[in-house]
Amino acid sequence: MHDNSWKKFVAAAVQTAPVLPLSKKKTTDKVLDIMSKAKNEGASLVVFPETLIPAYPNFSIDLQNPNEWQENLRDLLSESVYVPGEEIDRIARHAGDLNVYVSIGVNERVRTFGGRLYNTQVFIDSKGRIMGSRRKLLPTNREKVFWTPGDGADLQVYETELGVIGGLICYEHLQPLFKYALMAQGEQIHCASWPGWPNYKNGRSNKHVIDASMRQYALEGQCFVIVSSMYIPVKDVPSGLFGNAAWAYFGGSGIVNPSGEYVAGPEYDKETIVYGEIDLSFNALKKSLVDITGKDQRWDVIRLAWQKTRITPFHQPVTPSIEGSINRDTRELEEQVAALKEEVTALKRLLEDRYPTRKKRG
């Protein structure tokens, strides 16, 4: 367990675009370059946006052109990555070479199930090791038709030399129980990945959603929040990519302290890296006012029930049934009784051999 109470370091919130048209290799190359640049600026933790590799799927089903949806999804799947896999392994090795921690969002394929796709956040340590990955628990709205929901098996934090690191994806930050699960594990540094989308003119916008939810998260958890969102210049989008997709990406990256104030950012409408100092002594300062994992909690009144089992197509109960348990215990007792009987018989024979007169008298 590291003592990180007063740790200080520089974090980098990356606001960038994937390389288009979809290319996991070229986008990975771009990620490596950004990591190097952030390291040169003194960053120890580099946070990338949601599903940067190969891209956020900002298209919808068009009932006038239904086959387009299938083709878009197939193309997205073909350029998505395995965890671990070639692209993630390259990023991990580079993190080890640079001695930096990395959080990055990807579309994750699964080798066992060819059509399954997850919205995944990967965490890599400064030694180049994959600490873990977590899959978005609740794809939002239309996302449900192409991403498989994750489960509670990977909803965790990571104890590192920088501090206790955790993360959530996009609208998971509007789920109070998801947030509390990380905060209750002592999270100090939160990596928040967003697509930075959409920002429709005269319509729906996520600008205020990201701003409000990130500041609130920092206040609630008394922690630092590193916000990484995508920005995609429309001029760089190939004509016809994803058909009816909307390319209203605005960014919104920044770093928020435990008071809900921006240390750096937010930045909009450009590709950039936002740098800010993380000072964990400030976490302790804010917990003197309110500490949801200490003096300011009531776990005797409300507690969180957490299902940590990995969901698979096949279910084999870990805990045996009551009937099976009774049968097993009965068999064990019968075996113990039989063994004791054998010991008693053996002792009787020993006594008869040593004291033959007792046998006659008996």
Side-chain angles (χ1 to χ4, degrees):
M1 193 88 163
H2 299 284
D3 182 7
N4 303 304
S5 300
W6 317 118
K7 185 76 176 182
K8 290 183 181 181
F9 65 92
V10 173
V14 177
Q15 184 160 293
T16 192
V19 177
L20 301 175
L22 301 183
S23 173
K24 58 187 175 183
K25 181 184 183 305
K26 291 181 179 179
T27 300
T28 300
D29 291 341
K30 184 174 182 178
V31 166
L32 300 183
D33 289 342
I34 292 172
M35 289 168 59
S36 296
K37 182 178 180 180
K39 175 63 177 181
N40 289 338
E41 295 296 326
S44 297
L45 170 62
V46 187
V47 181
F48 288 91
E50 176 182 5
T51 58
L52 179 62
I53 303 175
Y56 179 83
N58 57 340
F59 52 86
S60 299
I61 295 177
D62 182 356
L63 296 180
Q64 302 302 315
N65 188 10
N67 290 335
E68 181 182 73
W69 163 262
Q70 296 171 289
E71 294 165 0
N72 288 341
L73 191 55
R74 180 195 59 193
D75 293 346
L76 176 68
L77 186 65
S78 68
E79 289 296 328
S80 295
V81 303
Y82 296 108
V83 181
E86 180 180 352
E87 293 74 24
I88 295 299
D89 290 347
R90 288 181 63 200
I91 294 169
R93 285 194 299 271
H94 198 50
D97 292 340
L98 296 175
N99 192 34
V100 297
Y101 286 82
V102 173
S103 167
I104 185 167
V106 301
N107 287 275
E108 179 193 0
R109 299 185 69 178
V110 179
R111 288 184 172 85
T112 309
F113 306 102
R116 186 179 292 187
L117 197 61
Y118 289 101
N119 180 337
T120 298
Q121 196 174 16
V122 183
F123 296 88
I124 300 168
D125 72 12
S126 60
K127 304 299 181 185
R129 299 169 297 199
I130 299 174
M131 295 189 291
S133 61
R134 61 165 308 274
R135 295 163 173 171
K136 190 174 185 179
L137 277 166
L138 191 63
T140 307
N141 199 280
R142 59 176 186 65
E143 294 176 353
K144 292 179 174 65
V145 298
F146 47 77
W147 282 325
T148 301
D151 52 47
D154 50 26
L155 186 61
Q156 66 182 81
V157 297
Y158 303 95
E159 175 75 24
T160 77
E161 61 186 5
L162 298 181
V164 182
I165 298 175
L168 291 174
I169 303 167
C170 196
Y171 268 34
E172 288 185 319
H173 292 98
L174 305 186
Q175 295 282 344
L177 295 182
F178 298 175
K179 297 191 294 180
Y180 183 68
L182 297 183
M183 295 173 186
Q185 295 177 71
E187 185 184 40
Q188 296 173 300
I189 306 148
H190 182 75
C191 302
S193 64
W194 293 81
W197 176 93
N199 188 34
Y200 300 140
K201 293 181 179 179
N202 302 319
R204 175 177 163 234
S205 174
N206 270 335
K207 273 192 174 182
H208 68 288
V209 175
I210 295 176
D211 176 65
S213 62
M214 295 295 86
R215 295 173 68 188
Q216 179 68 14
Y217 194 104
L219 281 168
E220 285 182 330
Q222 301 90 54
C223 64
F224 278 87
V225 176
I226 304 165
V227 189
S228 177
S229 290
M230 265 191 269
Y231 167 69
I232 300 180
V234 177
K235 63 179 179 60
D236 294 343
V237 179
S239 176
L241 180 64
F242 284 164
N244 66 358
W247 297 98
Y249 287 78
F250 60 86
S253 302
I255 297 174
V256 187
N257 69 22
S259 284
E261 301 165 327
Y262 284 98
V263 173
E267 295 287 348
Y268 298 102
D269 303 322
K270 64 179 179 180
E271 287 200 68
T272 186
I273 304 175
V274 182
Y275 299 96
E277 183 181 70
I278 307 298
D279 180 357
L280 295 188
S281 68
F282 198 39
N283 295 48
L285 184 67
K286 300 311 295 182
K287 286 182 181 295
S288 66
L289 297 176
V290 56
D291 183 3
I292 65 167
T293 58
K295 66 185 188 309
D296 300 306
Q297 52 77 20
R298 287 300 304 275
W299 294 328
D300 58 320
V301 177
I302 298 177
R303 285 181 291 178
L304 179 65
W306 183 4
Q307 175 56 262
K308 299 179 70 173
T309 305
R310 176 67 76 197
I311 298 174
T312 66
F314 310 101
H315 177 65
Q316 182 175 351
V318 176
T319 304
S321 66
I322 295 176
E323 181 181 357
S325 180
I326 292 173
N327 291 338
R328 184 197 62 193
D329 293 343
T330 301
R331 287 195 302 271
E332 289 179 354
L333 286 172
E334 289 174 347
E335 291 171 358
Q336 292 174 11
V337 169
L340 286 172
K341 286 181 178 179
E342 290 180 1
E343 290 183 14
V344 170
T345 300
L347 284 171
K348 283 183 177 180
R349 289 174 181 170
L350 179 63
L351 288 171
E352 289 173 354
D353 291 341
R354 289 187 178 182
Y355 306 102
T357 56
R358 291 187 60 179
K359 180 180 179 183
K360 291 178 182 178
R361 290 175 184 173

